Amino acid sequence: MGAYSTISFDAPKCDGCNDCMLACAQAKSGTDEIARSRIEVLKSNGSFELAMCRQCGDPRCVQNCPAAALEKNDATGVIDWDETKCVDCLLCTVGCTYAGIAYDRAAGHVTKCDLCDGDPACVKACKPGALRYVTTARIYNEVGQLEDLFAPGLSGCQGCNTELLMRHTLRRVGPDTVLATPPGCVPGMGSVGYNGQTGTKVPVFHPLLTNTASMLAGVRRFYKRKGRDVTAMALAGDGGTADVGFQSLSGAAERGEEILYITVDNEGYMNTGMQRSGCTPYGAWTSTTPVGERGQGKTQDAKNMPLVMMMHNCAYVATASTGFMEDLYEKLDRAIAASKRGFAYLHVYSPCTTGWRFPSQQNIEVARKAVETNFVVLWEFDPKNGVRLTRPVDHPLPLAEYVTMMGKFRHLSGEQLEHIQASVDKHAAFISRLAGERDAQMIRHLAANRTAA
Amino acid sequence: MQTRYLIAGSSHAALSALHAIRMADADGGVTLVTRDARLPYSPTVLPYVVSGRSDPGRVFLRDEEYFRAHKVDYLPGVALAALRPQDQTAVLADGRTVCYEKLLLATGATPVIPTVEGLSGVPYHVLRTLDDAVGLHQAMSGVREALVLGGGLIGMHAAENLARTGAKVTVIEAEAHVLSAYFDADASGIIEAAFSANGVDLHLASRAVSASRDERGRIRLTLGNGHSPAGDLLLVATGVAPAIGYVNGCGIQCDQGILVDERMRTSADDVWAAGDVAQARDFFGNARVLNGILPDAVEQGRIAGMQMAGDQAAKDYAGGVPLNTYSFFGKQALSVGTDGRGFADAEVHKSFDPQTGRYLKIVMREDRLLGIFSIDRWIDAGVMWELILRRTDLGPVKAQFLADPQRAARVLMSKTWR
């Protein structure tokens, strides 16, 4: 049994239009009567509530059926109903605490959601995007089958999400990979190995902080000349990327070297004692931007590394977060493909339990809040399509909800918070402007005019 | 034989326990013994086999492959004969002994035959096994007059099936109303009216005194009310009792059934009981009761199975809530909870529309739902059951709940446990 796709309901996005119910009634009952829909959205005190089949993993309706008419389909995850076996006893409805299976008087039998064979009509009809067909299952079902190419027992700090990132990305990229991990947390937690043995099941090397991209460029060119399709991949920290390794990185990107370069951005040199980097945000405590009588954390804004890389006109540039794995996976797939024709750059925001000082079980929540406050904006770029927001945040949370989660911002004054909020808003507006259709439209317009002339 | 888990029985409680055991313990040896020689099926489906709606070959809840895949030693056609809990040993009807570490008793119920003079001298049917159902289905064809002794679910289903074949049916029920275990007098009255309208002759508050063959070879019952209806076919459906003969003298405490605690444990170590055999706590009071309904068997079996396998997520049994669903002549009757008997301060809200035949009764106490009953008016029984179990405060939405319980309950569900 694997994981399955499911319909998710984001109530704040619902506007109560009932199009989902109409679409369901039409698709499943051939009528416009929304009372015969198998999904019901209920308005209550200005909010919206939902009743529908959850396709439970351990369904009580199935166990309650005396006629073996209900069955959890192992392949699709749908609880299938067999009309030829059903005896209309209604005992399934007693077992369901979600009102997911109910009697349809006009049909003369119980009805329930069957996910429309994987293409739910209600989701397609939902204009505000409150209903989504969530396919997280792909990560579990597909990637779960791929080989984990890191050794067991990586020695990261408790609660570190970098191990998650390392195992997931290398699994997806696959065994035909040469991996570079310049000094930082990634080799620090054991990827380069000990005593002559590597921590990976693929060739891994430990370049200097300064030459990661140039060494990888050579590796990729070598294998290409030998006729082997090998992914040249870097897992580097933000310091090794934005500061020390920038010269070689910029050069490789400008030359269009076929490299998959992944930055694990924990906003500082966390492995060596939490010193500031070019990616450390304004106001943040680090061991070199201390907080005391005079200092109140970093006094400069962070360098926006992914935007810098975008301006190199790389084959692919994207930001990602371990708080949104589906988004990360989609970008990883596109980055891998792009790395076969040019430079692909993936910038992953990676909260650091130790250096940022928050409880070890909070990592994913911190990552999620960063996106929900627009502190981190998830977007992608390729030269043909320009910038696209992959997870636009329509109603961002106040930044205070993010910065109060961790110790490195504990000292922030109201003015400092205002400064960061202003930077966040400005950055979000800037990316949104980049993501507007206008550039792409203009370029097409110009191209069309040229052809006409 | 030796096994880690021994399960006696093969219907809902047993299968639910097996499922729960395998969720927590993928490999521990399981042996399942059952007196029925067939693959597992539900007694609840039998009326539909009688009516011909269900193909007796397609009603099985599990197949051989299921038991193979779940590593279960499945022994059909072997009843439990005796128990020696002090030795953790069960004796089977074929003389074999099984040493177990954990034992579940889920052997279900068998029909109770009332004391009626001459009954043993006339042919009659009961309905508890698949063979009974196939036999009754075959016997029904050509029957012009039929007698049904007992106005419970089995009796009423059979009466409807017989009436639909065109037979003249007489139902004899000892209580003042049919289905009195689940429905109040008003709801039962609606059900009775539907049967009368379809030509079924109901003798309520009547008992059969004697049975005999009349001069034309028909079966004739003499009733306490002086009537003496006759028929070509007699179904005795006056209730069931736990099938627990094997516990005699073994020391396990019994009353009407096997007494169990809130974790379905019997008085003997490492022995659990669930389903129709289990006399477990009542949700609405302190007594321990038999609650022989399918959804409760599933719940009890699950709790027992989780306990047997040491599942950390195991929770206590909340207590039995009477509930049922019943379809008759195209109408749907639903009952969840208690009608307020035993609660002096219960408030009852009733509505009945004679035009549409729709009936709704809501019983509340201190703004909590005690029970809800309906005919031809849809309510989500599972959601209502959960509201009762959670003792959800309906105070803030009482007006909405009384006006449209289904909608109000769905909103509460979505807000509370979705």
Side-chain angles (χ1 to χ4, degrees), chain B residues 65 144 157 164 178 310:
Chain B
E65 177 50 33
R144 282 174 302 158
H157 269 299
R164 283 175 184 275
V178 299

Side-chain angles (χ1 to χ4, degrees), chain B residues 1 6-8 31-34 75 77-83 89-98:
Chain B
M1 279 200 296
L6 176 61
I7 298 175
T31 303
L32 190 145
V33 299
T34 174
L75 305 176
V78 187
L80 204 54
L83 288 182
T89 300
V91 183
L92 306 183
D94 61 8
R96 281 185 290 179
T97 58
V98 186

Side-chain angles (χ1 to χ4, degrees), chain A residues 68-111:
Chain A
L70 288 163
E71 190 175 22
K72 176 88 176 166
N73 185 320
D74 263 356
T76 64
V78 173
I79 295 163
D80 291 332
W81 172 74
D82 183 343
E83 184 170 12
T84 66
K85 287 185 173 179
C86 180
V87 295
D88 297 332
C89 73
L90 308 177
L91 284 166
C92 49
T93 71
V94 178
C96 180
T97 57
Y98 300 108
I101 184 162
Y103 186 72
D104 179 341
R105 188 175 306 280
H109 54 70
V110 290
T111 57

Side-chain angles (χ1 to χ4, degrees), chain A residues 17-27 31-34 37 39 125:
Chain A
C17 70
N18 290 349
D19 284 356
C20 54
M21 292 195 266
L22 182 62
C24 179
Q26 287 171 343
T31 158
D32 287 347
E33 272 180 74
I34 61 170
S37 166
I39 177 171

Side-chain angles (χ1 to χ4, degrees), chain A residues 40 43 49 58 60 89 97, chain B residues 19 299 325 407 410 414:
Chain A
E40 186 180 18
K43 189 170 187 188
E49 304 298 334
D58 186 14
R60 194 65 69 89
C89 73
T97 57
Chain B
H19 179 72
E299 175 68 5
T325 59
R407 185 182 156 55
R410 285 184 172 192
S414 177

Side-chain angles (χ1 to χ4, degrees), chain B residues 293-371:
Chain B
I293 53 166
L294 192 163
D296 221 31
V298 170
E299 175 68 5
Q300 293 182 353
R302 191 177 64 93
I303 289 168
M306 290 174 87
Q307 296 287 342
M308 292 167 75
D311 193 321
Q312 298 290 316
K315 286 185 187 161
D316 285 359
Y317 177 59
V321 174
L323 40 85
N324 229 315
T325 59
Y326 174 56
S327 297
F328 60 102
F329 295 109
K331 294 172 179 294
Q332 281 71 42
L334 304 167
S335 88
V336 187
T338 173
D339 65 2
R341 272 177 272 199
F343 292 99
D345 51 347
E347 45 178 298
V348 178
H349 303 265
K350 254 198 286 203
S351 68
F352 175 56
D353 181 351
Q355 291 281 304
T356 59
R358 291 189 181 180
Y359 175 75
L360 178 68
K361 174 162 124 173
I362 298 171
V363 184
M364 289 169 86
R365 179 170 168 264
E366 292 170 356
D367 288 345
R368 265 70 177 175
L369 186 64
L370 284 183

